[in-house]
RNA sequence: GCGAGAGUGGCGGAAUUGGCAGACGCCCUGGAUUUAGGAUCCAGUGGGGGAAACCUCGUGCGGGUUCGAGUCCCGCCUCUCGCACCA
């Protein structure tokens, strides 16, 4: 490749990146919220080098921010670092450096990387979650929840990752394995802090309906995760002791068909049942420990064979006083409902299989419609039907009787409406070093005492040995200086909580900090936050569909309830970009399929990578990286560069006086080009702002470049004044429209055109509809839906006129073989359909 | 099983939302230029038929609505993702 055959991207990119840096091109005037647009990208873990797959997220955000700037919006585009947490810590341990140093180094590297991509942020607003200036307010947030009774400490069986040596939130356990290291998760019983997100379950679910601009997929995932089931609590009575045993069911209408009850092995009654057992309970005890040993992974498997054991005890069905046997089984879990299930084998498949295996009675109480095979021989009838053998409800439709059964239970004080959620409380304690310390002090006299706000931050000590201890204690417990303190209440000797917070706490509120990143008095300025939030456009990976996005919504609602902010949802619009794969797999160092951007940028320039990344496919879908196709983007930029240089005078002439174009005489070629230019502008607005369809936006610009070439060829080298201006306009608009996507090359071209000052000072072109009118259009004539010819018609004629002319045209009659057309449709634009 | 989304050339993907299917790009073929290669430019590029103008079939499968369906309706099939002994 010789120098004159491609544009000098290396120089150009260095030049403009330096200028943007110096001019702080993305600095936002936060005091002015008119026409504001908060454009936020999920902040990254500073965990190492970025590859082209990461680039997609940030390039999309950068293009949007640049475009909106050109539209005159006041854009807030900040960036920060999710710098606490396991990945940073693990890498630091592996490389034998302190997490803080490792993190700082990576942040510097990644900032350089952003800059090389031409991605600009308002770096004045940078936040880093591992700095005391930030985590001070994460601790403040903890105190807010503590004060609201939403942060509670309890002994709990928790998910313990033996490899990471820490507790995991439910959300971080996937199929019984640690989300990060894939180790099988164990159960441990520890004292842990929880955020009571379940208090907000109903609101987190209900408010999803207001999030019109969130992907349906993400909302569905959140709905599933919250897992709301409406039903009833029904109190059965244990015959031996008279204790109440509540069950949860979504089908109280089938209550008369209940023939036994099943408890989870973790159920609190199990111990006393074993103690009372006539046989000494050895068999029961063996069953319980065997099921417990199975572990979470095996028990979560729906294919697990249903096993159980009779306790020898009985419970009473409140609705008919009937005594039924009480069993323990491996298919009932303590996590959901009450850990006790009323078994209706005739109308629940699991109960059915269990009853078959252990020869328990199966009694049909919901009759299927006539002619339909109901329960038996192979499966339970789980649909609605007519109730039979159901006392006062006989003959009623089961779905209609359902609420009435609950009413009956309420009247007889044997149950009530209730709602069960799959969502668990958010466990936030971590026995790890690299996180925000939990601001709590334990005093022998005063108990659990929150650290007073004025004493924040509780600083993370610089430990020599920060590695996990592994016995359930945090590394912080090994620092006497950190551990021993005095009680804020009684000043007596006391100890600090030595756990740190889950990093999802850090990221649950960072979008608020950007509005006042240097405020040392408050986490954020509520007045400014209320003007700038919710975030107008949030962009990130779908892998955060549940964890981060649910926690951020929860924290927003808590802060709303505490009067800090006026809004209830943090992110008005959410866009989840697809992954970029290589060789069919996610890029990772292990697989050796990472495409590093540096080589690409050296060879083709950052603009080429940006354009290719945007052009690769619909941004919400996964896409396969294709090294060869990158060259298509490169060719396009080179062609643009050459074309503008060949017609610099024309572009300058247009730019000097854009209004002149309307007064110039033009032939059909020139007018056709103008029409294409302006319909391209229209398409661009829709594609960029409304739909984020960058792939079609770029193909439209490619078409415009092709159209320019075609128009020039059609003019056969004769540059009439009209042609000059039409080309000038097309290229002028092209530069501007392309600039959000390929900012370096467009800034350079823009400067050459004679309008120094930078793209960000230029406006995105407006479509001029008057430029779209033409003298005549070719109408496609369909007869009975088949294309039968083409007719030239005057353009701009009223529909009726076009119709009249179409009817009168001999060509139409000829097409119809002499018969008069029965009906003529004129479709907007240029299609006529005639019905014979 | 429940929920969401998708199925269009050799490939990635378009289709102004019911109006000329395959835009744009990649691959491939031919031509121009070049000592050559590269780069660039031009032309072609869904299947079948034809020298050609054109004809014909064609958007996972089967029906339907309509002058007209990739798009709407009914019934299937396949794939991707999420959830799942959730009572």
């Amino acid at each position: 490749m010789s120098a004159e055959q491609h544009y000098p991207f290396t120089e150009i990119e260095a030049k403009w990146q330096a200028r943007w840096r110096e001019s702080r091109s993305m600095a936002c005037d936060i005091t002015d919220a008119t026409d504001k647009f908060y454009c936020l990208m999920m902040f990254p873990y500073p965990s190492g080098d970025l590859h082209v797959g990461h680039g997609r997220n940030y390039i999309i955000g950068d293009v949007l921010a640049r475009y909106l700037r050109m539209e005159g919006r006041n854009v807030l585009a900040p960036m920060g670092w999710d710098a606490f947490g396991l990945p940073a810590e693990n890498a630091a341990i592996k490389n034998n450096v302190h997490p803080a140093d490792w993190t700082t180094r990576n942040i510097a590297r990644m900032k350089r990387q952003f800059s090389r991509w031409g991605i600009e942020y308002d770096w004045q607003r940078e936040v880093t979650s591992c700095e005391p200036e930030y985590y001070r307010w994460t601790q403040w947030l903890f105190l807010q929840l503590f004060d609201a009774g939403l942060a509670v400490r309890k002994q709990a069986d928790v998910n313990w990752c033996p490899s990471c040596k820490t507790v995991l939130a439910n959300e971080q356990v996937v199929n019984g394995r640690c989300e990060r290291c894939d180790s099988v998760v164990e159960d441990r019983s520890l004292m842990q802090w929880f955020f009571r997100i379940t208090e907000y379950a109903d609101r987190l679910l209900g408010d999803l309906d207001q999030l019109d601009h969130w992907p349906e997929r993400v909302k569905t995932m959140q709905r599933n995760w919250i897992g709301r089931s409406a039903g009833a609590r029904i109190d059965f009575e244990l015959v031996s002791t008279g204790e109440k045993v509540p069950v949860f069911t979504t089908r109280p209408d089938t209550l008369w068909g209940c023939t036994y009850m099943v408890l989870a092995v973790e159920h609190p009654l199990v111990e006393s049942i074993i103690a009372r057992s006539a046989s000494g309970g050895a068999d029961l005890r063996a069953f319980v420990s065997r099921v417990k040993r199975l572990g979470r992974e095996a028990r979560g498997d729906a294919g697990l064979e249903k096993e159980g054991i009779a306790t020898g005890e009985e419970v009473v069905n409140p609705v008919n006083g009937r005594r039924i046997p009480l069993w323990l089984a491996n298919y009932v879990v303590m996590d959901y409902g009450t850990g006790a299930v009323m078994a209706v084998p005739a109308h629940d498949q699991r109960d059915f299989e269990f009853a078959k295996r252990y020869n328990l009675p199966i009694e049909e109480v919901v009759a299927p419609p006539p002619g339909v095979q109901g329960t038996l021989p192979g499966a339970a009838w789980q649909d609605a039907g007519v109730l039979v053998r159901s006392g006062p409800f006989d003959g009623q439709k089961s779905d209609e009787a359902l609420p009435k059964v609950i009413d009956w239970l309420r009247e007889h004080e044997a149950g009530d409406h209730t709602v069960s959620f799959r969502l668990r409380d958010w466990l936030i304690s971590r026995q790890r070093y690299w996180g925000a310390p939990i601001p709590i002090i334990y005093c022998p006299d005063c108990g659990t005492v929150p650290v007073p706000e004025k004493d924040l931050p509780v600083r993370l000590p610089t430990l020599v040995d920060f590695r996990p201890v592994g016995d359930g204690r945090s590394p912080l417990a090994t620092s006497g200086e950190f551990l021993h303190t005095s009680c804020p209440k009684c000043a007596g000797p006391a100890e600090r909580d030595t756990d740190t917070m889950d990093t999802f706490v850090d990221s649950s509120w960072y979008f608020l900090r950007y509005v006042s990143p240097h405020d040392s008095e408050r986490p954020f300025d509520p007045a400014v936050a209320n003007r700038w939030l919710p975030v107008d456009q949030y962009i990130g990976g779908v892998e955060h569909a549940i964890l981060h996005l649910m926690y951020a919504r929860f924290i927003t609602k808590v802060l709303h309830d505490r009067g800090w902010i006026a809004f209830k949802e943090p992110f008005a619009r959410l866009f989840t970009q697809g992954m970029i794969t290589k060789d069919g797999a996610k890029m990772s160092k292990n697989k050796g399929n990472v495409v590093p951007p540096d080589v690409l940028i050296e060879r083709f320039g950052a603009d080429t990578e940006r354009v290719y990344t945007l052009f690769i496919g619909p941004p919400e879908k996964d896409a396969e990286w294709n090294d060869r196709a990158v060259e298509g983007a490169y060719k396009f930029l080179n062609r643009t560069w050459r074309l503008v240089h060949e017609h610099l005078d024309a572009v300058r002439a247009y730019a000097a006086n854009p209004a002149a174009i309307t007064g110039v005489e033009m032939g059909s070629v020139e007018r056709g080009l103008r029409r294409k230019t302006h319909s391209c502008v229209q398409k661009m607005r829709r594609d960029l702002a409304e739909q984020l369809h960058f792939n079609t936006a770029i193909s439209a610009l490619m078409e415009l470049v092709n159209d320019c070439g075609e128009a020039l060829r059609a003019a056969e080298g004769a540059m009439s004044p009209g042609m000059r201006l039409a080309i000038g306009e097309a290229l002028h608009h092209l530069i501007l429209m392309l600039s959000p996507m390929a900012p370096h090359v467009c800034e350079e071209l823009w400067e050459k055109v004679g309008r120094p000052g930078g793209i960000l000072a230029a406006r995105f072109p407006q479509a001029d509809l008057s430029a779209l009118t033409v003298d005549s259009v070719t109408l496609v004539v369909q007869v009975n839906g088949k294309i039968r010819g083409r007719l030239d018609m005057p353009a701009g004629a009223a529909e009726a006129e076009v119709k009249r002319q179409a009817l009168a045209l001999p060509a139409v009659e000829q097409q119809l073989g002499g018969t008069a057309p029965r009906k003529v449709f004129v479709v907007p634009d240029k299609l006529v359909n005639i019905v014979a």
Side-chain angles (χ1 to χ4, degrees):
Chain A
M1 274 181 253
S2 78
E4 68 222 73
Q5 277 155 357
H6 64 233
Y7 78 97
F9 52 81
T10 310
E11 290 164 45
I12 291 173
E13 288 174 5
K15 169 181 163 184
W16 288 103
Q17 283 165 15
R19 286 209 195 167
W20 292 331
R21 208 165 25 248
E22 285 154 21
S23 66
R24 291 202 191 126
S25 65
M26 281 289 171
C28 173
D29 178 9
I30 201 103
T31 59
D32 178 12
T34 39
D35 250 339
K36 68 95 181 176
F37 194 98
Y38 189 171
C39 179
L40 183 67
M41 276 136 272
M42 290 182 184
F43 67 164
Y45 283 110
S47 58
D49 286 324
L50 295 164
H51 57 64
V52 295
H54 299 121
R56 197 181 202 190
N57 182 355
Y58 307 109
I59 289 167
I60 288 170
D62 189 63
V63 172
L64 186 65
R66 285 175 184 271
Y67 167 74
L68 291 165
R69 280 276 149 88
M70 292 178 73
E71 289 276 81
R73 307 293 292 268
N74 190 10
V75 178
L76 172 61
M79 183 44 67
W81 312 97
D82 191 9
F84 269 142
L86 292 185
E89 195 182 333
N90 287 342
I93 290 167
K94 198 170 136 196
N95 300 317
N96 202 27
V97 288
H98 195 275
D101 298 335
W102 186 86
T103 302
T104 313
R105 221 179 295 161
N106 283 341
I107 287 174
R109 195 166 0 151
M110 285 167 76
K111 275 173 99 163
R112 269 199 305 279
Q113 184 63 68
F114 282 136
S115 171
R116 276 200 88 184
W117 262 323
I119 294 167
E120 291 291 309
Y121 295 110
D122 185 353
W123 288 113
Q124 303 295 300
R125 305 193 166 275
E126 180 179 4
V127 302
T128 308
S129 67
C130 65
E131 285 173 359
E133 293 74 34
Y134 183 89
Y135 70 69
R136 167 184 185 177
W137 301 112
T138 307
Q139 291 169 337
W140 170 89
L141 182 67
F142 179 96
L143 296 179
Q144 290 290 310
L145 277 109
F146 182 82
D147 190 51
L150 292 168
V152 293
R153 193 167 184 251
K154 51 190 180 190
Q155 183 85 29
D157 277 344
V158 294
N159 308 299
W160 176 264
C161 174
S163 168
C164 299
K165 294 177 183 166
T166 189
V167 158
L168 303 172
N170 272 18
E171 287 84 345
Q172 290 163 326
V173 179
V174 180
N175 294 330
R177 289 173 178 273
C178 173
E179 180 194 46
R180 298 223 167 274
C181 68
D182 213 34
S183 315
V184 174
V185 170
E186 298 168 359
D187 283 354
R188 283 216 182 177
S189 182
L190 295 172
M191 283 298 279
Q192 305 284 321
W193 284 98
F194 290 84
F195 284 172
R196 296 176 63 192
I197 191 170
T198 50
E199 291 286 305
Y200 283 72
D202 254 327
R203 284 166 66 189
L204 288 167
L205 183 71
D207 289 353
L208 284 173
D209 294 335
Q210 295 164 24
L211 299 174
D212 294 332
H213 300 288
W214 276 42
E216 205 51 49
R217 181 162 66 130
V218 172
K219 288 193 278 187
T220 304
M221 283 163 76
Q222 293 214 351
R223 283 191 193 104
N224 284 342
W225 192 260
I226 295 167
R228 182 183 197 273
S229 307
R233 186 203 78 238
I234 303 176
D235 296 325
F236 285 64
E237 192 184 293
L238 193 60
V239 171
S240 59
T241 65
E243 283 170 280
K244 273 187 180 173
V245 189
V247 301
F248 171 75
T249 180
T250 53
R251 293 292 301 275
D253 52 316
T254 63
L255 184 49
W256 278 262
C258 174
T259 55
Y260 62 101
M261 182 192 276
V262 187
L263 300 183
V265 293
E266 295 87 357
H267 197 279
L269 283 173
V270 169
E271 270 309 306
S272 60
I273 288 169
I274 290 173
R276 280 197 299 275
S277 173
S279 60
D283 49 345
L284 287 172
R285 202 175 293 282
F287 179 79
V288 167
S289 60
R290 189 158 55 82
V291 173
K292 279 186 176 171
R293 251 202 327 273
L294 264 178
R296 277 162 194 273
E297 191 186 12
R299 284 186 71 185
D301 180 6
L304 183 73
E305 196 165 352
K306 287 170 185 50
E307 277 190 84
I309 185 167
T311 60
E313 303 223 12
E314 288 181 318
V315 292
V316 178
N317 185 339
V319 82
N320 55 10
R322 179 174 166 185
R323 288 184 172 202
I324 53 173
L326 179 65
W327 285 64
L328 305 182
N330 61 356
Y331 73 94
V332 175
V333 293
M334 198 58 218
D335 277 1
Y336 186 77
T338 61
V341 174
M342 65 173 223
V344 185
H347 305 293
D348 181 283
Q349 189 59 25
R350 290 156 306 178
D351 298 342
F352 179 85
E353 286 166 22
F354 192 81
K356 279 278 179 191
R357 174 163 181 171
Y358 293 103
N359 224 3
L360 289 155
I362 299 171
E363 289 176 16
E364 191 177 65
V365 292
V366 181
V372 175
Q373 173 73 57
T375 305
L376 293 173
W381 173 259
Q382 303 193 89
D383 294 346
V386 176
L387 293 182
V388 293
R389 289 184 282 279
S390 295
F393 298 96
D394 271 357
Q396 299 195 23
K397 286 185 177 168
S398 61
D399 45 355
E400 288 167 9
L402 195 150
K404 296 183 201 161
V405 173
I406 299 177
D407 290 341
W408 188 96
L409 289 165
R410 282 162 66 99
E411 280 162 28
H412 294 77
E413 294 183 353
D416 204 344
H417 292 278
T418 189
V419 173
S420 231
F421 291 97
R422 208 189 80 98
L423 185 71
R424 306 286 88 193
D425 277 335
W426 175 13
L427 170 60
I428 58 122
S429 297
R430 295 290 181 276
Q431 294 69 48
R432 276 281 179 160
Y433 169 68
W434 195 234
I438 292 173
I440 288 289
I441 290 168
Y442 303 105
C443 171
D445 297 323
C446 311
T448 302
V449 183
V451 174
E453 229 180 281
K454 64 175 175 51
D455 294 342
L456 296 181
V458 177
R459 281 180 182 271
L460 188 63
T462 314
L463 291 185
V464 180
D465 191 0
F466 52 81
R467 279 170 304 184
V469 181
D471 56 1
R473 286 189 306 149
S474 162
L476 292 183
T478 63
S479 165
E481 205 180 325
F482 179 83
L483 181 65
H484 301 295
T485 186
S486 54
C487 172
K489 268 193 192 162
C490 69
E495 289 189 354
R496 290 189 187 280
D497 194 302
T498 56
D499 288 348
T500 54
M501 283 186 252
D502 181 8
T503 63
F504 281 107
V505 182
D506 307 331
S507 58
S508 68
W509 73 280
Y510 77 106
F511 45 90
L512 287 161
R513 185 64 179 168
Y514 283 134
V515 301
S516 30
H518 311 298
D519 196 325
S520 56
E521 305 293 317
R522 297 167 293 190
F524 55 87
D525 182 336
V528 180
N530 284 333
R531 279 200 300 272
W532 278 83
L533 279 93
V535 169
D536 294 277
Q537 178 72 64
Y538 198 27
I539 303 171
V542 74
E543 66 271 20
H544 292 113
I546 296 169
L547 304 172
H548 164 59
L549 290 170
M550 183 91 77
Y551 294 147
R553 295 180 62 221
F554 164 58
I555 293 299
T556 299
K557 288 179 194 305
V558 171
L559 290 174
H560 168 84
D561 291 353
R562 307 229 358 126
W564 277 87
I565 47 181
F567 50 93
K568 296 177 182 172
E569 284 288 340
F571 313 121
R573 261 173 197 270
L574 173 69
F575 185 82
T576 52
Q577 88 281 358
M579 210 173 35
I580 293 188
T581 58
K582 185 77 206 294
D583 309 321
K586 183 179 180 168
M587 288 184 196
S588 80
K589 278 181 192 153
N590 296 343
K591 292 189 199 103
N593 62 347
V594 172
V595 179
D598 293 20
V599 184
L600 212 63
I601 288 174
E602 270 161 40
R603 192 142 166 238
F604 301 113
D607 284 332
T608 295
E609 193 200 325
R610 291 172 63 110
V611 169
Y612 175 66
T613 301
L614 296 164
F615 185 62
I616 193 166
E620 68 279 6
K621 280 182 67 183
D622 289 352
E624 170 75 11
W625 185 267
N626 180 348
D627 284 321
R628 302 188 77 165
V630 174
E631 294 184 39
Y634 184 56
K635 274 191 224 168
F636 163 61
L637 292 180
N638 273 316
R639 210 184 287 170
T640 303
W641 173 267
R642 272 196 307 271
L643 201 55
V644 173
H645 275 79
E646 280 161 20
H647 301 280
L648 261 185
D649 290 346
V651 186
R652 282 182 184 143
Y654 172 81
N657 183 10
I661 198 164
T662 50
V664 174
E665 198 154 319
M666 285 192 175
S668 66
V669 173
E670 293 92 314
R671 265 201 299 270
L673 180 59
R674 288 209 67 202
R675 202 163 123 209
K676 282 171 169 163
T677 303
H678 287 271
S679 50
C680 183
V681 173
Q682 268 192 320
K683 181 175 173 50
M684 204 59 60
R685 290 170 169 276
R686 202 175 47 239
D687 280 358
L688 293 186
E690 290 166 33
Q691 306 178 323
L692 305 181
H693 283 176
F694 305 104
N695 54 329
T696 52
I698 287 174
S699 66
L701 295 176
M702 288 172 166
E703 277 184 77
L704 188 58
V705 168
N706 293 347
D707 291 338
C708 285
E710 249 167 65
L712 286 164
R713 250 175 284 129
E716 290 171 342
M719 279 296 257
S720 66
M723 189 64 192
R724 219 168 108 90
L725 285 177
I727 283 285
E729 180 191 46
L731 294 178
H732 175 273
H733 285 17
L734 172 68
I735 296 168
L736 291 178
M737 289 189 284
L738 180 59
S739 67
M741 285 142 319
H744 311 86
V745 64
C746 290
E747 287 265 21
E748 185 70 18
L749 290 171
W750 184 243
E751 197 179 47
K752 291 194 183 205
V753 161
R755 282 242 191 126
I759 289 278
L760 298 173
R763 281 287 180 266
F764 203 83
Q766 293 281 338
D768 176 8
L769 291 168
S770 67
L772 294 171
T773 55
V774 283
D775 293 339
S776 70
V777 291
T778 304
L779 294 169
V780 178
V781 180
Q782 290 184 354
V783 178
N784 292 342
K786 298 264 184 198
I787 296 156
R788 286 288 178 252
R790 277 149 225 268
L791 301 169
D792 283 326
M793 281 275 167
E799 192 173 292
E801 175 66 6
V802 175
K803 239 187 236 186
R804 196 185 58 76
Q805 295 207 33
L807 286 162
L809 271 163
V812 173
E813 294 229 10
Q814 204 188 327
Q815 296 290 349
L816 296 171
T819 48
R822 201 155 50 90
K823 229 171 157 188
V824 177
F825 297 85
V826 179
V827 177
D829 216 354
K830 46 180 181 176
L831 190 74
V832 173
N833 192 15
I834 297 155
V835 184

